[in-house]
Amino acid sequence: MKLNIAVLPGDGIGPEIVEQAMKAVKAICDKFGHELSYEQALVGACAIDEVGNPYPDNTHELCMKSDAVLFGAIGSPKYDNNPSAKVRPEQGLLAMRKKLGLYANIRPVTTFPSLLHKSPLRSDLVDGADFMCIRELTGGMYFGRPQGRSEDGDTAYDTCVYTREEIERIVRLAYEYAGKRKKKVTIVDKANVLATSRLWRQVSQEIEKDYPEIETEYMFVDNAAMRIIQWPKSFDVMVTENMFGDILTDEASVITGSLGMLPSASVGIHTSVFEPIHGSYPQAAGKNIANPLATILSAALMFEYAFNLMEEGTLIREAVAASMDEKIVTEDISGEGKAYKTSEVGDWVASYITKK
């Protein structure tokens, strides 16, 4: 199979962690006989410094003609600490989401035995937890209009708007993903209070009939927030609207014990973007100490959900789990053990894939 990838390292630790992920990608392609074609482009602060635009036109053109985008991170203190800056790196991320039509954020939540002691929850609650949060990205209160404040400034208002089309495409996506996993979908809403949630539930109940082989449950968002803490192993694929998803994915991310281990994907109309959920960590840039495993796991997601190459994604996950078991990890999770360099972890994972 020919894999055509756009590689956007970005800022801070982005270039270092993406380099390690590409080592795993190349090892997988060599092992399984895939033809790999990739090209790098600028995004974020480095793009502003180079061309004055955080998401240049040539970067967008590359993304549009690629089958998938592997993305690092954006952000720089140079712009964070300058309140008068007219152009900011984060504007590049927003532009990319809008232009690529990225409508769904996918965050797998997976625990590793060697990190259970770092979770804020008891080990018996999180051991074996493995579920996926799917958040709608383009609708809801964040984008609804009208939005603003009254002339006297004493009243503020936001409008939550959803269309049938927006709900249907992301709920169907959730069922497609569940079909490749444990065949269970949890639809999270607040249908007892909100009109938009009642539309979500109505449309979801119609779609449910098209997937009889998949178990469906409906859950109010407050109950879902409790269930993530009380019984995280009860979930497989959770799908919800924009604001609820923003909150629930952050809650879910902390139960694993390390943000440096969590990948994500943003599924788009034109192409999809695969990236770690952590930021650019500028304090570590260039020091070869950043944890590359979330980015490597993002590459696993890319193989699985951009190319439907499940065996390849599974082998990358196996390699990452093996590196954890062998304690080939960076300083953020090494504890009292030896801390390996970013590049050493990337080399070890790639070598494991090659030898397997």
Side-chain angles (χ1 to χ4, degrees), residues 49-234:
D49 293 342
E50 188 78 21
V51 298
N53 183 348
Y55 186 57
D57 290 342
N58 60 353
T59 298
H60 178 62
E61 291 169 6
L62 174 64
C63 292
M64 288 291 288
K65 69 181 184 182
S66 300
D67 300 317
V69 179
L70 185 62
F71 177 57
I74 60 172
S76 168
K78 175 180 177 180
Y79 296 94
D80 295 342
N81 299 327
N82 181 8
S84 63
K86 294 181 179 179
V87 183
R88 297 181 177 278
E90 291 74 16
Q91 291 172 318
L93 183 58
L94 295 176
M96 181 166 62
R97 287 175 177 171
K98 183 176 181 179
K99 291 184 177 182
L100 295 180
L102 303 178
Y103 66 89
N105 181 247
I106 316 296
R107 285 194 186 182
V109 179
T110 306
T111 54
F112 294 87
S114 59
L115 283 182
L116 291 177
H117 67 287
K118 291 199 170 187
S119 173
L121 301 184
R122 296 197 321 261
S123 294
D124 61 296
L125 293 178
V126 294
D127 188 12
D130 177 11
F131 64 98
M132 178 177 284
C133 298
I134 302 183
R135 168 192 170 191
E136 202 287 326
L137 278 182
T138 62
M141 197 174 296
Y142 293 172
F143 296 97
R145 296 294 182 269
Q147 180 186 70
R149 297 180 69 171
S150 60
E151 290 186 9
D152 62 10
D154 293 336
T155 302
Y157 48 91
D158 298 284
T159 306
C160 188
V161 179
Y162 267 107
T163 65
R164 170 179 287 271
E165 180 184 13
E166 288 172 324
I167 299 166
E168 184 167 328
R169 71 182 176 185
I170 196 164
V171 171
R172 288 196 181 278
L173 183 71
Y175 277 103
E176 291 170 11
Y177 279 25
K180 299 176 182 179
R181 292 174 49 89
K182 294 176 284 187
K183 293 183 169 54
K184 179 181 178 182
V185 169
T186 303
I187 297 164
V188 177
D189 59 32
K190 193 63 176 171
N192 57 336
V193 176
L194 301 176
T196 47
S197 281
R198 286 191 284 276
L199 180 60
W200 266 80
R201 188 162 293 208
Q202 175 190 334
V203 172
S204 298
Q205 287 173 340
E206 295 169 4
I207 293 172
E208 175 189 353
K209 299 172 185 177
D210 295 336
Y211 300 90
E213 75 284 4
I214 295 177
E215 177 187 353
T216 303
E217 69 174 347
Y218 296 87
M219 193 174 294
F220 295 147
V221 63
D222 42 356
N223 186 21
M226 291 189 293
R227 180 82 74 85
I228 287 174
I229 299 301
Q230 294 173 322
W231 190 17
K233 287 183 279 190
S234 68

Side-chain angles (χ1 to χ4, degrees), residues 9-28:
D11 305 320
I13 61 172
E16 300 165 65
I17 56 178
V18 167
E19 181 183 354
Q20 310 318 311
M22 286 304 297
K23 290 177 182 177
V25 170
K26 292 172 184 176
I28 285 287

Side-chain angles (χ1 to χ4, degrees), residues 210-329:
D210 295 336
Y211 300 90
E213 75 284 4
I214 295 177
E215 177 187 353
T216 303
E217 69 174 347
Y218 296 87
M219 193 174 294
F220 295 147
V221 63
D222 42 356
N223 186 21
M226 291 189 293
R227 180 82 74 85
I228 287 174
I229 299 301
Q230 294 173 322
W231 190 17
K233 287 183 279 190
S234 68
F235 294 110
D236 179 23
V237 174
M238 173 193 297
V239 60
T240 191
E241 62 102 65
N242 204 342
M243 186 173 72
F244 295 163
D246 191 3
I247 297 166
L248 292 177
T249 53
D250 279 1
E251 180 192 16
S253 70
V254 302
I255 70 174
T256 65
S258 174
L259 288 176
M261 295 299 301
L262 296 179
S264 77
S266 292
V267 175
I269 296 170
H270 302 293
T271 190
S272 298
V273 177
F274 300 86
E275 61 180 303
I277 73 166
H278 58 69
S280 61
Y281 193 15
Q283 301 90 334
K287 296 181 180 178
N288 204 20
I289 60 173
N291 187 347
L293 294 180
T295 315
I296 294 172
L297 289 170
S298 296
L301 280 184
M302 180 180 70
F303 278 104
E304 293 168 339
Y305 294 111
F307 301 108
N308 200 32
L309 298 172
M310 309 307 288
E311 186 178 355
E312 286 84 337
T314 297
L315 180 54
I316 292 177
R317 295 179 193 284
E318 180 185 323
V320 168
S323 75
M324 300 283 291
D325 291 342
E326 296 294 329
K327 303 190 185 306
I328 312 297
V329 294

Side-chain angles (χ1 to χ4, degrees), residues 37-51:
S37 174
Y38 69 96
E39 185 178 340
Q40 291 197 14
L42 298 171
V43 69
C46 60
I48 299 174
D49 293 342
E50 188 78 21
V51 298

